[in-house]
Amino acid sequence: MPTGFTKDAGWEIGVSRTLPLPVETVWDFVAGPEGTALWLGTDRPLPVEKGARYETADGVAGEIRSHCPGDRVRLTYGDTVLQVAVSPAGPGKAVLRFHQERLAGARDREERRLHWRAVMDRIEAALLPEGG
C-alpha cells in the first residue's frame, strides 16, 4: 500500500509538534475560541456534546464524534474525520497532534499536510510569541 493509505481509513495524514508548554496550557488554547479559530476556522466556541453540529466560516459542516477534555476531540469535517489530541511529552512539554482521515487521495493528503503544518506554525506563534 502507498504511504498514507490504510485499508480502514483510506488516505490519511498526521502532523504533530512538541511544544515547551504543559498539556493543560496547550489544550486550553486549542479547545478555546482563539485556538479553534486557528485550526478549525470557526467564529464560535466548538461544541463539546457528541453529535453537536458546527459550521466553519468557509461553510464546511460537521459534527462532534467525541470530546475528552484535556485529551482529544474527534469530529467530522465535511467528508473526512479529524482528530485533535494533546498528550504529555515530559515535564512541562506537550505534543499537539492533528490527524485527518478519509481524504480523497494522495494529492488531498499532501495538501492537508501543508495545511496542518501551517496551522501548527500559527498555533506555536500564538502560544510562544517570543519564539519559545
Side-chain angles (χ1 to χ4, degrees), residues 103-116:
L103 299 170
R107 176 177 286 161
D108 195 26
R109 179 180 187 268
E110 187 55 31
E111 288 171 2
R112 298 315 290 174
R113 175 199 316 273
L114 295 173
H115 169 79
W116 292 120

Side-chain angles (χ1 to χ4, degrees), residues 7 36 68 107-109 117 125:
K7 187 174 89 169
T36 302
C68 302
R107 176 177 286 161
D108 195 26
R109 179 180 187 268
R117 284 183 177 169

Side-chain angles (χ1 to χ4, degrees), residues 37-49:
L38 289 176
W39 66 264
L40 188 58
T42 59
D43 57 359
R44 299 182 186 127
L46 184 67
V48 297
E49 303 83 22

Side-chain angles (χ1 to χ4, degrees), residues 9 60-62 65 75-82 100-104:
V60 177
R65 291 278 178 90
L75 49 103
T76 60
Y77 182 84
D79 294 332
T80 70
V81 176
L82 175 62
Q100 193 170 8
E101 57 192 48
R102 306 209 183 286
L103 299 170

Side-chain angles (χ1 to χ4, degrees), residues 3-132:
T3 300
F5 185 82
T6 66
K7 187 174 89 169
D8 295 331
W11 290 96
E12 60 184 7
I13 188 64
V15 174
S16 66
R17 186 164 301 170
T18 301
L19 300 167
L21 296 165
V23 168
E24 298 79 16
T25 301
V26 177
W27 176 261
D28 288 347
F29 182 80
V30 298
E34 186 180 355
T36 302
L38 289 176
W39 66 264
L40 188 58
T42 59
D43 57 359
R44 299 182 186 127
L46 184 67
V48 297
E49 303 83 22
K50 184 176 180 176
R53 307 270 315 151
Y54 73 89
E55 186 170 335
T56 69
D58 294 337
V60 177
E63 74 176 41
I64 303 300
R65 291 278 178 90
S66 66
H67 183 269
C68 302
D71 182 45
R72 70 188 66 235
V73 61
R74 189 169 171 84
L75 49 103
T76 60
Y77 182 84
D79 294 332
T80 70
V81 176
L82 175 62
Q83 179 171 279
V84 181
V86 181
S87 59
K93 293 182 182 181
V95 177
L96 174 61
R97 291 182 177 83
F98 290 94
H99 183 264
Q100 193 170 8
E101 57 192 48
R102 306 209 183 286
L103 299 170
R107 176 177 286 161
D108 195 26
R109 179 180 187 268
E110 187 55 31
E111 288 171 2
R112 298 315 290 174
R113 175 199 316 273
L114 295 173
H115 169 79
W116 292 120
R117 284 183 177 169
V119 166
M120 284 286 197
D121 291 343
R122 290 193 302 271
I123 289 172
E124 185 172 30
L127 285 169
L128 304 167
E130 302 300 319

